[in-house]
Amino acid sequence: MSVMYLRGGRPLEGELTVHGAKNSVLPILAACLLARGPVTLRNCPRLTDVTAALAILRRLGCRAEQEGHTVLVDPTGASGCSISEEQMRAMRSSIIFLGPLLARMGEAHLTYPGGCELGPRPIDLHLGAIRALGCEVREDRGIHCQGQPRGGEIQLALPSVGATENAMLCAVGADGPTTITNAAREPEIGDLQSFLNHLGAKVQGAGSSTVTVEGGRTLSGGEYTVMGDRIVAATLLSAAACAGGRVRLSGVDWRHLATVLSVFHQAGCRVESRMEYVELERTRDLPLKGVPTIRTAPYPGFPTDAQAPVMAALAAAQGCTLFVETMFDSRYRHVPELIRMGADITTEGRVALVRGVERLHGARVEASDLRGGGALAAAALGAEGTTVLSGLNHIDRGYEGLEGMLQALGADVERREEA
């Protein structure tokens, strides 16, 4: 079993380039099914979720390989239309293959996805979008879809990121134009639009609540560079806020982090935002301050994925901070582990009251989900003593070598194998 030893008390200093975004590269990998030639992706992070997506592409008949941060996908020989239960359960976002499979094959057979257990993530919105494009959907010990997609009107009941992306991917291969209303506005959707258009699609409106797709265009192969990961950036900035010091991050657009940066500014950090980088500095002898209510919301609101790392930083702030989680039912699974480290946090339903303590202390803690794991690592760097963090399989889904990134910023971190 892999564990991470993190010794607190050392300020973070240095510069780092943020790796490619997990939430961007996974739908882009699924979109490769729509191409008629080889695709090369740059800045592709080495994550277990990426490994799982490449395995799905190979099962479907594609050539899919990763070397360093470059991925090659050749979908020319794609012929499969089903994904095994084991592969579907390997990552939560595996449902993103539904739309492109239907667009290319006219048929898709999937089981229900796996991944972090954050409470119900209903796929009804995905299936509703597929039905709106004229395809037949049957749920019988899995998901079975058939039919050649036709352009149409898709009205999402909620601005779901995954459903918006699935609708876009299915609509690219549909006969006729499609309009998606109440679309999610996250930056990763804009990255998917840019990728599709780079290969020859015509998609417009990403970043707004209405996305239009002109279906039926042939997509060629090509090369594309994946955007940087704003949630990895938020986690590293949280670690700097916990430990103190000065950290400069490049490779990510600060505008995608505006709500997170605002919280750190209110908490007493110096934040500098430039097109080339974002920098956070906290003098270690000046404690953070609690901030007004932090309410997660769809973009451009405060991201649910940043809630846990920011909570870790404010656990040792002066005063109280109230968190309201509006996106998922079970997004406070990191709280009991922070309490092990001395945090004073009370939760009730989707609300968490954080009463800042003078200092956290090291403890043996376990990550039970991806972003909670990042939060515990950040908290450990500001704590007294040594923290032993397990559950690294969750962390490896979305952070490429988290221990290496923290070491590059001067943290005392070591990954070990234990029986």
Side-chain angles (χ1 to χ4, degrees):
M1 177 181 69
S2 295
V3 297
M4 198 181 297
Y5 280 73
L6 305 102
R7 299 168 186 86
R10 180 183 294 184
L12 301 187
E13 298 283 346
E15 302 181 15
L16 197 66
T17 299
V18 177
H19 65 64
K22 176 185 87 80
N23 290 339
S24 191
V25 73
L26 297 180
I28 286 175
L29 284 171
C32 289
L33 279 171
L34 301 172
R36 298 298 171 177
V39 175
T40 300
L41 299 178
R42 313 280 184 196
N43 198 33
C44 187
R46 291 173 294 188
L47 308 171
T48 55
D49 267 12
V50 170
T51 300
L54 295 177
I56 289 174
L57 286 170
R58 285 191 289 268
R59 176 185 174 88
L60 297 173
C62 303
R63 177 187 168 202
E65 303 169 353
Q66 180 168 17
E67 184 173 345
H69 295 116
T70 300
V71 165
L72 172 65
V73 178
D74 185 351
T76 307
S79 58
C81 59
S82 65
I83 302 175
S84 71
E85 180 177 5
E86 180 182 4
Q87 289 178 321
M88 286 294 295
R89 292 182 61 83
M91 67 174 190
R92 190 75 174 189
S93 55
S94 52
I95 192 67
I96 197 62
F97 283 91
L98 177 59
L101 263 180
L102 268 173
R104 176 150 186 164
M105 305 298 179
E107 186 176 0
H109 303 280
L110 291 71
T111 61
Y112 295 97
C116 289
E117 295 301 327
L118 303 177
R121 292 199 205 180
I123 62 171
D124 293 351
L125 295 174
H126 300 253
L127 303 185
I130 297 303
R131 289 189 176 100
L133 296 180
C135 297
E136 177 188 347
V137 178
R138 179 170 54 88
E139 294 185 74
D140 180 15
R141 288 181 293 182
I143 305 165
H144 308 277
C145 304
Q146 287 185 313
Q148 180 58 44
R150 301 188 302 272
E153 301 284 334
I154 299 174
Q155 297 181 347
L156 296 176
L158 298 170
S160 160
V161 175
T164 299
E165 292 168 339
N166 240 335
M168 289 168 61
L169 294 175
C170 194
V172 165
D175 181 14
T178 296
T179 300
I180 306 166
T181 57
N182 199 25
R185 301 164 59 188
E186 271 69 5
E188 293 79 11
I189 292 173
D191 207 26
L192 178 60
Q193 173 180 281
S194 297
F195 171 73
L196 291 169
N197 289 346
H198 184 69
L199 298 190
K202 189 173 182 180
V203 184
Q204 296 177 305
S208 74
S209 58
T210 302
V211 175
T212 60
V213 182
E214 181 183 308
R217 295 170 69 99
T218 300
L219 272 57
S220 63
E223 296 189 9
Y224 189 77
T225 300
V226 177
M227 66 181 284
D229 197 314
R230 61 193 174 103
I231 306 302
V232 169
T235 303
L236 295 173
L237 295 173
S238 296
C242 287
R246 182 187 62 84
V247 167
R248 177 178 290 188
L249 304 178
S250 59
V252 67
D253 190 330
W254 71 268
R255 293 169 295 184
H256 299 161
L257 289 163
T259 53
V260 176
L261 297 178
S262 175
V263 167
F264 285 132
H265 176 73
Q266 293 176 68
C269 299
R270 183 187 67 82
V271 177
E272 182 178 348
S273 303
R274 296 286 184 269
M275 293 307 296
E276 300 82 13
Y277 64 84
V278 58
E279 182 173 287
L280 182 143
E281 182 177 16
R282 180 176 80 82
T283 304
R284 190 168 172 81
D285 58 0
L286 291 178
L288 295 171
K289 299 175 292 186
V291 303
T293 300
I294 297 174
R295 184 183 299 270
T296 65
Y299 190 85
F302 189 93
T304 181
D305 283 349
Q307 174 254 108
V310 171
M311 182 184 291
L314 296 177
Q318 288 183 341
C320 298
T321 302
L322 189 71
F323 286 81
V324 181
E325 173 57 59
T326 70
M327 306 297 287
F328 296 115
D329 290 336
S330 302
R331 198 107 213 210
Y332 291 140
R333 298 178 70 185
H334 55 283
V335 168
E337 304 304 290
L338 287 175
I339 292 173
R340 282 177 178 267
M341 300 176 70
D344 184 355
I345 305 173
T346 304
T347 62
E348 184 173 341
R350 295 190 176 206
V351 176
L353 177 61
V354 180
R355 304 175 187 87
V357 298
E358 183 174 349
R359 182 67 59 85
L360 300 179
H361 56 75
R364 278 194 168 265
V365 293
E366 181 177 3
S368 58
D369 63 80
L370 169 58
R371 304 308 174 186
L376 294 172
L381 298 182
E384 290 182 341
T386 299
T387 296
V388 182
L389 174 59
S390 59
L392 303 191
N393 57 303
H394 294 291
I395 293 174
D396 292 341
R397 289 185 48 240
Y399 297 96
E400 180 187 320
L402 178 59
E403 66 278 5
M405 288 189 280
L406 296 175
Q407 288 166 356
L409 296 174
D412 188 352
V413 182
E414 180 185 3
R415 185 164 177 152
R416 301 180 188 173
E417 295 297 322
E418 292 188 347

